Amino acid sequence: MVAKGGWIPVDQAVWGKQLADYQRTKADPPGNAGNLPEFRADCKYSHRKPDDPIVAPGLPGASHMHSFVGNKAVDAHTTAGDLMKFTATTCKPVVDHSAYWVPTLYEAASRTPVETTGFRVYYRSLRSNSTGVVPIPNGLRMIAGDAKKKVPTPRGAQGQFYCAFYGPGDIDGYARSENGNWPICGEPASLHFMLQFPDCWDGENLDSPNHKDHVAFGTNEGCPAAHPVRIPALTFDIAYGAKGSKAGYYLSSDPDGRSASSMHGDAFVMWDADAMNQRVRNCIAQRRTCNNDGYDPFSY
């Protein structure tokens, strides 16, 4: 389909088939453990390019530097069809052909990149029920966060990097960088970031001019009238092999500001449709916690 003014309409015939196939999908028996309605993909760092096939399609080098995980073939020219044609991926499960990316993180002192050491993508229900949830349409593009936001991220601020740890600790770090914008983590913690995507879709467009207007957040009561289709919400849980430092860091989206406020993430969703359908049925509709293989391991 041809984009008009930045809108990319969904192929209703293709979407209708995916939806009909989902409605015919039978649920596997539920297990006895876990009540978080989600499935996931665990991805590794793939490559780094100053490209963005969502914001600047067909324009190599037009973007700030991005770190990509998932589909290995992604560059500025990547289309939805390419994601299905070139399916080599750094994600498990391999039936996830999607591309995910974030601005590259750099050490401020050395100006060297710090790449992700773990990148988990959750597909989950954010609500107390799963009423009406259907699979994500293949080809959906979304952005979470604001690449143009440039405000400080001091201790306790929303939208900051945090220290992930096991056991007692301080998610804001035991100390801060000299500019206060970055935590310094104690052992065994390291820098993490989480990005939350919306859970409602307009049912008509795979993208919009600002890459956000075609999706929205719902409530326990349902989705807004302009975005009536409830879909699993993506959550990026990103780990970095860094503890923090006095010099701190900067993002490629804000190399001078050296705060974390411009952190954002892009998702170009493409799955084997049957695999997506079965996971939504087993994990989201049944409100079970599923692993990378798309089932509740305690049910087998």
Side-chain angles (χ1 to χ4, degrees):
M1 302 294 285
V2 178
K4 295 182 179 180
W7 295 92
I8 299 179
V10 68
D11 186 321
Q12 291 292 344
V14 173
W15 167 237
K17 182 181 184 304
Q18 184 180 359
L19 196 57
D21 289 345
Y22 171 69
Q23 300 299 346
R24 289 190 292 269
T25 301
K26 302 297 184 182
D28 293 330
N32 298 314
N35 61 358
L36 297 174
E38 65 187 29
F39 58 95
R40 70 186 191 224
D42 281 309
C43 307
K44 296 180 179 179
Y45 168 73
S46 174
H47 59 283
R48 187 169 59 246
K49 281 180 176 290
D51 291 359
D52 192 325
I54 294 179
V55 175
L59 299 173
S63 173
H64 50 257
M65 191 66 71
H66 282 115
S67 296
F68 292 84
V69 306
N71 196 294
K72 294 182 179 180
V74 175
D75 60 21
H77 299 287
T78 296
T79 66
D82 292 333
L83 294 176
M84 286 300 290
K85 182 178 180 181
F86 307 107
T87 58
T89 182
T90 66
C91 291
K92 293 182 179 180
V94 296
V95 290
D96 180 6
H97 310 312
S98 307
Y100 312 105
W101 61 95
V102 293
T104 301
L105 180 69
Y106 290 87
E107 292 182 351
S110 64
R111 303 186 72 82
T112 57
V114 180
E115 294 301 353
T116 61
T117 54
F119 200 115
R120 176 168 286 183
V121 184
Y122 290 102
Y123 288 73
R124 55 175 36 149
S125 170
L126 302 179
R127 312 302 165 193
S128 63
N129 63 80
S130 295
T131 303
V133 175
V134 297
I136 294 176
N138 267 337
L140 189 69
R141 302 139 171 90
M142 295 182 289
I143 295 178
D146 185 353
K148 297 181 180 180
K149 189 175 182 180
K150 298 181 180 181
V151 298
T153 50
R155 177 183 293 272
Q158 288 188 335
Q160 67 162 324
F161 278 68
Y162 67 95
C163 297
F165 54 88
Y166 300 94
D170 186 346
I171 64 171
D172 292 323
Y174 73 85
R176 305 290 290 185
S177 60
E178 291 173 348
N179 63 13
N181 289 321
W182 302 87
I184 299 175
C185 306
E187 293 292 343
S190 63
L191 293 179
H192 279 241
F193 200 93
M194 294 195 75
L195 281 164
Q196 183 62 64
F197 290 77
D199 58 345
C200 296
W201 172 51
D202 69 5
E204 298 179 0
N205 299 285
L206 297 174
D207 202 359
S208 51
N210 64 358
H211 318 293
K212 294 185 177 184
D213 285 348
H214 59 304
V215 290
F217 285 96
T219 67
N220 285 334
E221 286 67 47
C223 288
H227 300 82
V229 182
R230 176 170 278 187
I231 57 175
L234 274 69
T235 304
F236 286 0
D237 185 354
I238 311 165
Y240 291 86
K243 301 287 187 183
S245 68
K246 283 295 182 182
Y249 302 85
Y250 65 89
L251 292 164
S252 59
S253 47
D254 184 16
D256 298 321
R258 296 189 178 179
S259 79
S261 61
S262 69
M263 183 62 169
H264 58 285
D266 298 54
F268 198 157
V269 180
M270 183 64 66
W271 280 68
D272 174 275
D274 290 340
M276 165 70 78
N277 286 354
Q278 194 66 58
R279 282 164 168 78
V280 174
R281 179 67 69 194
N282 286 353
C283 313
I284 307 297
Q286 292 200 111
R287 301 191 69 78
R288 310 307 303 168
T289 305
C290 294
N291 61 13
N292 296 84
D293 294 319
Y295 63 83
D296 173 356
F298 293 96
S299 66
Y300 291 83

